[in-house]
Amino acid sequence: INGSSEFLNSIAMGLTTFLFNRVLLVYLGSAGVAAFAMVQYLLMFGSVVFIGISIGSQPILSYNHGAGLTTRVKGILKRLVLASALLALVFFVVLRNQSAAMIALFIPDHPETAYLTMQAAGYISWALLFMPVGIIGSMFFTSLEKAGNSLIVALSRGLLFTVIGLLIFPQLWGEIGIWVTPVFAEAVTSIVTIMLFYRWITGAREAALSQVPEPAIQTE
């Protein structure tokens, strides 16, 4: 049960890729599918780092949670979020400024696809700024055996908001709506995750206060 969110993430990745490809074929044809795949490759440089940080933190989080060291768990979460946010900003700046050079390495002789890829990268690169929160959140709650919270984050990021975006945004803005969908999914997932973080921190604080022994009342 505790690993169900990671299982769902793997399934959702294949499903959402299929949905993106179908929508792209309708609006842009095979060039759009190639452009989206290229942008996904560029985003992968950042996402694999965030996943690696999250997986590497799992033993530390689990150990301190099992030991009842909630203050340490909070400190680890804070460091994870800050470090990942800084890295996300670096990846975002690099992708915004070097995407043309990276795209030219893979498709130098296809100007139409290169143009679409540049357009897609201009929108989808904003997803990098929100991506770490959802990735860390899912792994964090799995480490604490909060399977329900982890599943909510996984569903939000991997399936729910992506499907909503693909159903609505292309109808409103055409091909731009397709590029905006990953940003929408990551941004709303980050809001949901932050709310779950806040609820967990508040619950941990209340639990700690309830365990403080009441002062003894001295009687004459």
Side-chain angles (χ1 to χ4, degrees):
I1 294 175
N2 197 38
S4 59
S5 57
E6 284 70 29
F7 172 72
L8 180 65
N9 263 330
S10 299
I11 294 177
M13 187 180 299
L15 179 59
T16 53
T17 300
F18 171 78
L19 293 175
F20 267 110
N21 288 344
R22 293 297 301 172
V23 175
L24 285 164
L25 284 171
V26 171
Y27 282 87
L28 295 168
S30 58
V33 175
F36 182 75
M38 182 61 58
V39 176
Q40 290 295 97
Y41 290 148
L42 299 179
L43 290 181
M44 195 177 297
F45 286 107
S47 64
V48 294
V49 173
F50 304 141
I51 293 171
I53 291 172
S54 300
I55 293 175
S57 68
Q58 277 190 307
I60 305 170
L61 288 166
S62 297
Y63 177 85
N64 285 282
H65 173 68
L69 302 173
T70 305
T71 303
R72 281 192 182 183
V73 176
K74 292 179 185 177
I76 296 165
L77 175 60
K78 181 180 178 180
R79 291 178 178 89
L80 282 172
V81 172
L82 289 176
S84 297
L86 180 60
L87 287 171
L89 182 60
V90 172
F91 288 132
F92 172 76
V93 172
V94 171
L95 184 57
R96 297 284 293 185
N97 290 279
Q98 301 298 322
S99 57
M102 290 187 285
I103 291 167
L105 292 173
F106 297 96
I107 45 176
D109 302 322
H110 297 81
E112 180 185 356
T113 305
Y115 172 77
L116 282 175
T117 306
M118 285 291 297
Q119 183 189 45
Y123 289 99
I124 299 177
S125 59
W126 289 95
L128 276 168
L129 298 177
F130 305 103
M131 188 183 295
V133 181
I135 293 175
I136 289 172
S138 181
M139 295 289 185
F140 175 81
F141 289 118
T142 297
S143 302
L144 271 58
E145 295 186 300
K146 303 289 185 182
N149 288 351
S150 183
L151 193 59
I152 290 172
V153 176
L155 274 172
S156 300
R157 181 174 181 266
L159 191 62
L160 178 61
F161 294 120
T162 298
V163 172
I164 291 173
L166 286 176
L167 289 175
I168 296 175
F169 297 146
Q171 301 290 334
L172 297 175
W173 305 312
E175 63 187 66
I176 294 176
I178 304 173
W179 310 138
V180 169
T181 295
V183 184
F184 166 76
E186 295 288 357
V188 180
T189 298
S190 68
I191 295 173
V192 172
T193 306
I194 289 170
M195 291 173 62
L196 293 173
F197 282 154
Y198 178 77
R199 190 172 72 174
W200 174 79
I201 291 171
T202 303
R205 185 184 299 120
E206 291 175 354
L209 291 174
S210 66
Q211 294 175 1
V212 176
E214 296 183 2
I217 299 176
Q218 295 182 353
T219 57
E220 295 182 359

